[in-house]
């Protein structure tokens, strides 16, 4: 609890305040997490920040206190064939982050399925976004996501766009 705020997995190629000193992994290396379950953490299931660029494939990210998978800073990466359920926000992409979310089910999250803000520009492709709180996909700020060949269903608002966002 004193060393990082309750995240399940933090991938950061920068030193974060309040976290243990980071290791000496080359930021150009690709980190792949596959066939794993990340569940029941007090904050984010997976936090990707700095210049990190992981591949998360066939993972289950469930029952976390804030977002299931969060991208921030200049981070990027891929979330492929995953299940993201019962978090506060399923997938959050913010600041200048980019991400590819493909073949992923984002469902039954408490507030929002996919949240995109800042100047983020993720691509959500061939995914199912269903039964998440009131909003399926929320796009704010100057964000410019691409959502294609996906199903958005079972929400009060399927896609909410505000600010200067251009999905």
């Amino acid at each position: 609890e004193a060393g990082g705020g309750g995240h399940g997995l933090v991938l950061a190629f920068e030193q974060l305040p309040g976290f243990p000193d980071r290791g000496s992994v080359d930021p150009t290396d690709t980190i792949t997490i596959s066939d794993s379950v990340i569940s029941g953490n007090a904050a984010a299931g997976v936090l990707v920040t700095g210049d990190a660029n992981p591949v998360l494939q066939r993972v289950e990210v469930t029952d976390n206190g804030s977002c299931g998978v969060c991208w921030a800073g200049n981070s990027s990466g891929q979330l492929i064939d995953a299940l993201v359920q019962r978090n506060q926000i399923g997938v959050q992409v913010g600041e200048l982050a980019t991400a590819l979310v493909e073949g992923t089910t984002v469902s039954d999250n408490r507030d929002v399925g996919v949240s995109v803000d800042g100047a983020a520009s993720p691509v959500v492709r061939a995914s199912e976004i269903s039964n998440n709180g009131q909003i399926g996909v929320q796009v704010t700020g100057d964000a410019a996501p691409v959502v294609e060949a996906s199903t958005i269903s079972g929400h009060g608002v399927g896609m909410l766009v505000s600010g200067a966002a251009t999905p």
Side-chain angles (χ1 to χ4, degrees):
E1 183 174 312
H7 302 295
L9 175 63
V10 177
L11 301 167
F13 290 118
E14 64 181 326
Q15 183 63 47
L16 297 176
F19 281 74
D21 289 343
R22 70 182 243 7
S24 59
V25 175
D26 182 347
T28 61
D29 290 347
T30 298
I31 295 172
T32 301
I33 310 293
S34 59
D35 303 306
S36 299
V37 175
I38 302 165
S39 181
N41 298 286
V46 179
L47 173 60
V48 182
T49 188
D51 292 328
N53 180 25
V55 175
L56 306 167
Q57 58 190 15
R58 298 179 311 276
V59 296
E60 292 183 19
V61 185
T62 62
D63 302 299
N64 296 290
S66 61
C67 52
V69 181
C70 314
W71 276 276
N74 290 315
S75 66
S76 59
Q78 300 175 33
L79 181 63
I80 308 294
D81 298 328
L83 176 64
V84 182
Q85 288 184 318
R86 298 182 306 275
N87 305 284
Q88 182 176 0
I89 297 171
V91 175
Q92 185 170 15
V93 185
E95 299 176 9
L96 297 171
T98 60
L100 170 64
V101 177
E102 186 169 49
T104 293
T105 298
V106 180
S107 66
D108 303 304
N109 295 286
R110 292 182 299 280
D111 291 342
V112 178
V114 176
S115 177
V116 184
D117 58 54
S121 56
V123 173
V124 178
R125 179 181 304 133
S127 293
E128 179 183 336
I129 302 162
S130 62
N131 304 313
N132 298 286
Q134 287 299 308
I135 302 171
V137 178
Q138 177 175 290
V139 184
T140 63
D142 293 320
V146 172
V147 179
E148 59 188 12
S150 295
T151 300
I152 302 171
S153 65
H155 308 96
V157 176
M159 180 179 279
L160 174 65
V161 179
S162 64
T166 55

